[in-house]
Amino acid sequence: VVAALASAALASPAAAAAAGAGSTGAGLAHVVRAIPAPHGVTAASPWPFSASDLARQDESADAHFYAQPRFVTHIDDGAIGALRDYYAQEISPKSDVLDICSSWISHLPDGLELGRVAGLGMNEAELERNERLTERVARDLNANPALPFDDASFDVVTNAVSVDYLTRPLEVFRECHRVLKPGGKALFSFSNRCFPTKAVSMWLKTDDSGHIWIVGAYYKYSAAWSVKAVDISPGGGGDPMYVVQGEKL
């Protein structure tokens, strides 16, 4: 499925790289990979991923796996800095932000004044430690992908290094679209690290470029989005970092 999407549904890597590369501020060179609307594919097209694509090595309840709080970072300092810089560029002051799959840290820039900042995550202790949040909801999106928020209530939805764990991504991305205001942004970021027993199987079978296509497909098949992918990797041999970003149409 991933190979078929890369060749038929989404832009090819060569075409994507040709879409443009340049400095976007904050001292980082970002490579932008535009993901155009696939030919013949709309949000109404049949969902291409099978149950086996979204299966995991460990299918036990996620509530058990995440019951113990983990006050650690899952990417290195360079990748964290790159993500914070990108958030500073893409999130306007006073924005209302929803951070899904949230934890004890959201990587939002300290100097960025925001409005409402809601965090939805698996572990209550981790959410309570997150000082950027103004409200907290403990929920397992794989068990219940509905977001408990009103339509058009946020300017930005963020998700850091967790998209690979979603077993119901179509529903989650539709919900993100629903709760965003018109023109609002969803910023799904990821690196090459994961808990392999909890990542969906197709994520483990491909590389960084394949991961970009997978997340791009989640957008394209879920709702009306304008989508682009951005390589924000800081270089220097550290963790790579990518953002696949959707703007609600």
Side-chain angles (χ1 to χ4, degrees):
V1 170
V2 175
L5 282 172
S7 62
L10 302 178
S12 69
S23 173
T24 56
L28 295 175
H30 296 164
V31 178
V32 179
R33 301 180 178 185
I35 302 178
H39 178 70
V41 173
T42 69
S45 299
W47 178 240
F49 300 117
S50 67
S52 62
D53 292 326
L54 295 167
R56 302 170 298 172
Q57 297 173 23
D58 178 5
E59 290 288 9
S60 64
D62 290 334
H64 299 315
F65 185 82
Y66 295 103
Q68 186 69 25
R70 295 177 174 90
F71 297 113
V72 297
T73 54
H74 300 286
I75 48 178
D76 66 20
D77 290 345
I80 290 172
L83 184 58
R84 283 179 174 161
D85 287 345
Y86 194 73
Y87 282 169
Q89 170 191 307
E90 293 294 324
I91 303 176
S92 300
K94 306 295 186 180
S95 291
D96 292 327
V97 176
L98 169 61
D99 185 34
I100 65 170
C101 304
S102 189
S103 181
W104 70 282
I105 187 170
S106 297
H107 307 306
L108 295 165
D110 292 336
L112 180 61
E113 185 178 355
L114 298 169
R116 175 188 188 190
V117 182
L120 184 149
M122 288 288 297
N123 187 281
E124 291 184 1
E126 292 181 6
L127 294 173
E128 286 299 325
R129 181 77 70 87
N130 192 329
E131 297 179 353
R132 290 307 308 267
L133 302 181
T134 61
E135 56 192 275
R136 299 161 179 83
V137 177
R139 175 164 297 190
D140 178 358
L141 290 177
N142 288 338
N144 180 5
L147 298 176
F149 305 105
D150 292 338
D151 295 357
S153 52
F154 293 97
D155 300 292
V156 180
V157 173
T158 60
N159 175 275
V161 296
S162 298
V163 67
D164 44 327
Y165 305 124
L166 297 177
T167 61
R168 300 168 72 174
L170 182 64
E171 294 160 278
V172 170
F173 274 67
R174 284 175 174 166
E175 280 290 281
C176 290
H177 190 272
R178 179 185 65 79
V179 302
L180 279 171
K181 300 172 186 177
K185 300 175 183 178
L187 308 175
F188 278 77
S189 61
F190 50 89
S191 185
N192 60 359
R193 298 195 195 188
C194 67
F195 296 119
T197 60
K198 282 297 186 180
V200 296
S201 65
M202 64 180 174
W203 194 269
L204 302 178
K205 296 175 182 177
T206 187
D207 58 10
D208 293 340
S209 292
H211 299 157
I212 291 170
W213 310 136
I214 289 170
V215 181
Y218 290 170
Y219 280 109
K220 292 299 183 180
Y221 284 90
S222 64
W225 301 94
S226 172
V227 185
K228 68 178 181 180
V230 187
D231 182 348
I232 62 169
S233 303
D239 291 341
M241 200 67 200
Y242 309 95
V243 180
V244 183
Q245 175 172 329
E247 180 179 331
K248 179 176 179 176
L249 299 178

